Amino acid sequence: MIKGKDIIVVGIQAWDIEIGSNCKNIALEFAKNNRVLYVNPPMMRSTERNDKHKESIQKRIRIKEDLEPDLVEIEPNLWNLYPKNSIESINWIPFHFVFKILNKRNSRLFANDIQSATSRLGFKNVILFNDSSMFLGLHLKEFLQPELYVYYMRDYLVKVPYWQKHGERLEPEIIKKADVLTTNSEFFSDFGLQYNPNSFMVGQGCDVSHFSDVNDTIKIPDEFKDIPKPVIGYVGSLTTLRLDIELIEYIANQRKNWSVVLVGPEDNDFKNSNLHNLSNVYFLGSKDGSELPAYVKGFDVAMNPQLTNDLTIGNYPRKIDEYLAMGKPIIATQTKGMEMFKDCVYLGATKEDYITLTEKALSENSEELIAKRIHFAKSHTWENNVKAIYNAIITATKHKIKWD
């Protein structure tokens, strides 16, 4: 446990983002025993110009003009900073040496706003926790002079086009600069060890409370009444960037007596796929997040038929914890990131594995296995995740910092 410290959290998501955020959950846990400043990414000048009609941008403009405060207390021990300085959009620049010069200027402006806030809050000897901000974060250690610099890697962002052009060069640099690298999968921690010996897999937090059905109160939707069992199901975005359409089609064709149920919005490839021509494949459409536990309850086996590519090989699929919290048997693609689930999830390396392992999942399901899955999911709390982060920090720095 780390207590009584001042922690600055920077990342690539603003506090007022509409979707869930690992970084926000971690900051909330930090703030239970420390003072925390959560820093929103700065506004780009191009965004200020092109999206000024949006209320979120108007709010940033009012803050920039001192019409609203830039520093807001969210709860005791936790503040949110809206940087006043706008930065330049530079990712399009083809020459890396030019990008680095302008990126350092952007980082300096960003650091100036952070220093202003920490001065007002009286922060001392700070821990700087950087959630994947590989561009602006590259120079923050030298500009802010934190007592400790922690870099958090939870996605293979350098394989995403926006980050790839410059990130493949810069992320290894920032990993080298960090005092500690924390990651949410063994794949990323192994990657980090190439550049920093203090690379630790700290797992992932997940709030699965709304997937709890201990009192059997969740009602299976009426749509399942006309769907023959067994039901092999998936919930989530149906996107060919991450999911294997050929694998899903293979499952449906090999076992005509199984119903393959897909719940979520489709990209164009899914909309135009042959899956829509198969009588035992059911598309139930996009659902509100609050409805998803009911749909998972309707599955006999839950699946995560991922493609194995740069985007998926190391990622931590939160839906696995959600499936487990419902006690469901799960068949998923075997990747480095999935190894931590191997005792509770059936992992397939081939299309044929998906058939044999799904049959096994259907035949051997039991109350004992259901309880084991639920217990495993409940261990992946944000509290436990942050404890692992604290342990990584203490282990990596105990030779130079005396921790209580």
Side-chain angles (χ1 to χ4, degrees):
M1 182 66 69
I2 293 176
K3 297 181 178 180
K5 301 294 290 185
D6 292 333
I7 303 176
I8 301 170
V9 177
V10 300
I12 56 177
Q13 294 175 323
W15 187 266
D16 54 5
I17 192 171
E18 294 180 355
I19 61 174
S21 165
N22 285 26
C23 196
K24 287 174 60 176
N25 289 110
I26 289 170
L28 287 165
E29 284 296 325
F30 284 162
K32 289 180 179 178
N33 294 287
N34 304 278
R35 297 198 304 164
V36 178
L37 174 65
Y38 187 100
V39 184
N40 293 336
M43 180 170 58
M44 289 189 180
R45 202 176 301 279
S46 58
T47 302
E48 180 180 355
R49 181 177 60 252
N50 298 330
D51 296 334
K52 61 184 178 182
H53 60 283
K54 295 181 179 179
E55 171 53 30
S56 59
I57 304 304
Q58 283 296 313
K59 178 181 178 69
R60 291 296 192 100
I61 293 172
R62 291 194 297 271
I63 290 170
K64 185 177 180 178
E65 296 174 349
D66 291 327
L67 299 176
E68 289 189 26
D70 62 331
L71 189 59
V72 180
E73 186 174 11
I74 298 170
E75 60 178 50
N77 285 339
L78 178 60
W79 294 265
N80 183 205
L81 175 67
Y82 290 82
K84 289 184 178 181
N85 283 304
S86 297
I87 62 171
E88 301 297 339
S89 176
I90 59 174
N91 198 46
W92 57 272
I93 294 173
F95 306 109
H96 190 63
F97 75 95
V98 176
F99 174 89
K100 289 190 73 172
I101 292 170
L102 296 177
N103 185 58
K104 189 169 185 178
R105 178 185 180 277
N106 280 346
S107 185
R108 166 66 78 183
L109 292 171
F110 187 44
N112 288 345
D113 282 318
I114 296 172
Q115 286 172 324
S116 170
T118 55
S119 177
R120 282 175 277 165
L121 293 171
F123 275 27
K124 304 289 185 184
N125 302 320
V126 301
I127 296 172
L128 177 60
F129 183 88
N130 178 357
D131 172 25
S132 303
S133 181
M134 66 186 79
F135 296 166
L136 290 172
L138 182 63
H139 299 288
L140 288 183
K141 184 174 184 179
E142 60 194 91
F143 290 153
L144 297 178
Q145 294 293 304
E147 183 177 29
L148 286 173
Y149 189 21
V150 183
Y151 188 67
Y152 178 49
M153 186 179 181
R154 57 182 171 87
D155 279 306
Y156 214 3
L157 288 180
V158 295
K159 299 303 180 181
V160 176
Y162 176 84
W163 300 97
Q164 188 169 22
K165 185 187 300 182
H166 300 291
E168 286 191 327
R169 295 186 187 92
L170 293 188
E171 191 162 46
E173 288 187 37
I174 201 169
I175 291 172
K176 288 177 185 177
K177 286 186 176 185
D179 297 292
V180 190
L181 173 68
T182 57
T183 75
N184 67 351
S185 82
E186 296 287 355
F187 178 84
F188 296 138
S189 63
D190 288 347
F191 172 84
L193 283 171
Q194 301 174 80
Y195 310 103
N196 191 323
N198 293 317
S199 177
F200 298 87
M201 200 284 283
V202 297
Q204 167 85 40
C206 186
D207 181 6
V208 294
S209 57
H210 63 301
F211 280 85
S212 175
D213 192 31
V214 291
N215 296 319
D216 197 27
T217 56
I218 296 176
K219 183 178 180 295
I220 296 175
D222 291 339
E223 291 151 286
F224 284 85
K225 290 180 179 178
D226 298 322
I227 299 177
K229 285 181 165 293
V231 172
I232 317 302
Y234 171 88
V235 296
S237 294
L238 300 168
T239 169
T240 45
L241 285 174
R242 295 182 179 273
L243 299 183
D244 190 338
I245 286 183
E246 291 184 7
L247 172 57
I248 300 171
E249 188 173 341
Y250 178 84
I251 295 168
N253 282 325
Q254 289 296 309
R255 293 295 182 268
K256 298 288 189 180
N257 61 317
W258 293 355
S259 295
V260 176
V261 173
L262 305 172
V263 183
E266 303 173 66
D267 68 9
N268 287 332
D269 289 329
F270 263 92
K271 289 177 181 177
N272 297 320
S273 72
N274 187 52
L275 291 170
H276 284 273
N277 300 320
L278 302 180
S279 61
N280 61 330
V281 176
Y282 300 82
F283 287 85
L284 301 189
S286 183
K287 306 297 177 184
D288 185 80
S290 63
E291 300 178 273
L292 295 183
Y295 284 86
V296 174
K297 188 171 183 178
F299 300 162
D300 294 295
V301 174
M303 66 174 173
N304 194 34
Q306 287 190 143
L307 286 168
T308 302
N309 57 31
D310 288 333
L311 286 177
T312 65
I313 193 169
N315 78 317
Y316 186 108
R318 192 178 299 191
K319 72 174 75 275
I320 298 297
D321 275 322
E322 295 169 346
Y323 290 159
L324 289 170
M326 296 291 293
K328 293 296 176 179
I330 303 164
I331 173 68
T333 304
Q334 185 173 0
T335 65
K336 185 74 172 178
M338 283 298 300
E339 286 183 4
M340 70 183 77
F341 295 99
K342 63 184 178 182
D343 292 334
C344 293
V345 175
Y346 301 92
L347 299 178
T350 66
K351 292 186 290 187
E352 293 77 15
D353 286 347
Y354 260 80
I355 300 299
T356 57
L357 291 173
T358 301
E359 289 177 335
K360 184 178 182 183
L362 288 167
S363 66
E364 69 180 18
N365 198 28
S366 66
E367 291 299 321
E368 181 181 354
L369 287 174
I370 291 170
K372 178 182 178 181
R373 296 173 194 131
I374 293 172
H375 177 76
F376 186 77
K378 286 182 176 179
S379 71
H380 291 169
T381 62
W382 288 111
E383 180 181 6
N384 286 343
N385 183 214
V386 168
K387 283 181 180 178
I389 292 172
Y390 289 156
N391 286 337
I393 292 171
I394 292 168
T395 299
T397 62
K398 60 186 178 182
H399 63 286
K400 64 178 183 179
I401 295 177
K402 184 178 179 181
W403 297 99
D404 294 333

